[in-house]
Amino acid sequence: MKWRVLVSAPYAMSHLDWYRQQLAAAGCEMVVANVRERLSEDELVPLISDVDGLICGDDSVTDRVLAAAPRLKVISKWGTGIDSLDQAAAARRGVAIRNTPNAFSEPVGDTVLGYALLFARQLDRMTADIRAGQWKKPQLVALREWTLGVIGVGNCGKAVVRRAAAFGMRVLGHDPVPVPAEFAAATGIEMVSLPDLLTQAHVVSCNTTLNPTSFHLMNDATIGQMRRGAFLINTSRGPVVEEAALVRALASGQLAGAALDVFEVEPLPASSRLREFPNCHLGPHNANSSPQAAQRV
């Protein structure tokens, strides 16, 4: 009997011949799911009853899904985050979970600093002005004049901090896990409480994992603690930011802008009010995009 491996990771779809060759060489038969962004619980259940392995993206692998997969032995997450997988249920059923830690830290770090530069240097606004026949000189800011707050100083957070330090920014960090002393010495990061970070930072970057303590971490109360006219960047997981609260903060002027690569519902619904704000930059969960990083995964 051949092992059967279900591939449902969207990023794998453009390289199926390569996956098929690798799996065939290991005595595995590949089964391909029809997927756009991720599979729901209801979509996975009928696909998984006779598979031994799963190569997935951010699919909802719940206890119900695992119960429908008596042959399943291993789940390989294409990438890093495993918050969509019921890890406790997998452990109870003897299903191993594997991922690629630190896979996308560098491209994510680039994305965060790109958004920070966009806010500070207003490159998009000046381009739009010129194209509209206007010759305006807005007041810009050098990044070294701003303080960056990084919530979550893991692999991605550290990549952000290294880049910000190279630009001369003052960097504040918040994380329940202490950062290594050598990293703090090399970058100058100051580890502070969350309220201290929020009240001081001109730009706040969310780089935390999604867990019960980070769900809706940025809400009316925490966004309200941010300095008026600050900017919020989220390249971590969508539910870290309560989008209704963010809409209120953008509408009131509490925040001068935001940049989101991830959302509570993906793809972003057409009805989302976030689309209404020209100062809210939106990405299709693509901050990880990098040929070398993808090849490593």
Side-chain angles (χ1 to χ4, degrees):
M1 179 186 73
K2 279 191 174 184
W3 306 114
R4 285 171 58 84
V5 176
L6 174 64
V7 178
S8 63
Y11 285 101
M13 295 302 153
S14 57
H15 302 279
L16 289 177
D17 287 344
W18 184 88
Y19 280 89
R20 188 173 285 106
Q21 288 178 350
Q22 300 300 313
L23 291 168
C28 298
E29 175 189 358
M30 186 176 77
V31 184
V32 180
N34 181 14
V35 59
R36 178 186 177 190
E37 182 71 23
R38 66 197 62 189
L39 296 180
S40 67
E41 182 183 66
D42 288 341
E43 291 169 323
L44 268 174
V45 166
L47 300 177
I48 206 165
S49 63
D50 60 350
V51 302
D52 303 282
L54 171 64
I55 301 175
C56 66
D58 291 326
D59 300 337
S60 295
V61 183
T62 63
D63 187 43
R64 177 185 163 215
V65 170
L66 293 166
R71 286 172 47 177
L72 189 63
K73 299 166 183 62
V74 59
I75 301 168
S76 184
K77 166 63 192 292
W78 198 103
T80 301
I82 55 174
D83 51 88
S84 68
L85 313 178
D86 190 330
Q87 298 163 60
R92 287 196 307 270
R93 298 177 183 279
V95 178
I97 293 178
R98 298 291 182 263
N99 66 340
T100 315
N102 203 21
F104 303 115
S105 302
E106 298 305 308
V108 169
D110 288 352
T111 298
V112 173
L113 260 291
Y115 282 133
L117 282 166
L118 200 58
F119 292 136
R121 305 308 298 168
Q122 299 185 41
L123 306 173
D124 56 336
R125 173 183 167 184
M126 291 188 295
T127 298
D129 286 346
I130 294 292
R131 286 180 173 161
Q134 299 174 353
W135 191 259
K136 297 180 179 179
K137 295 180 185 288
Q139 178 61 62
L140 307 180
V141 178
L143 283 185
R144 67 183 304 109
E145 299 173 279
W146 272 355
T147 295
L148 174 68
V150 179
I151 301 175
V153 194
N155 290 321
C156 285
K158 287 184 175 69
V160 173
V161 171
R162 287 193 296 269
R163 285 158 174 76
F167 275 87
M169 299 185 80
R170 178 188 178 214
V171 183
L172 306 178
H174 175 73
D175 198 303
V177 179
V179 300
E182 57 271 23
F183 178 79
T187 61
I189 187 174
E190 305 168 47
M191 299 302 293
V192 298
S193 68
L194 182 59
D196 283 347
L197 182 151
L198 295 174
T199 56
Q200 296 181 58
H202 298 87
V203 181
V204 172
S205 175
C206 296
N207 296 101
T208 180
T209 58
L210 179 61
N211 55 62
T213 63
S214 65
F215 178 82
H216 282 182
L217 178 65
M218 300 308 297
N219 51 45
D220 282 311
T222 48
I223 293 175
Q225 291 179 52
M226 293 174 63
R227 60 193 304 158
R228 188 169 181 84
F231 299 88
L232 177 64
I233 301 172
N234 185 21
T235 56
S236 58
R237 282 291 190 257
V240 171
V241 174
E242 184 182 2
E243 290 175 11
L246 177 58
V247 166
R248 288 188 285 270
L250 290 169
S252 69
Q254 165 64 14
L255 293 183
L260 306 173
D261 186 61
V262 289
F263 305 94
E264 294 193 77
V265 176
E266 296 179 358
L268 183 67
S271 60
S272 172
R273 286 200 59 201
L274 292 171
R275 298 174 182 271
E276 300 175 11
F277 299 94
N279 57 341
C280 185
H281 299 283
L282 309 171
H285 200 147
N286 201 41
N288 62 336
S289 184
S290 157
Q292 290 185 3
Q295 182 59 44
R296 177 181 171 221
V297 173

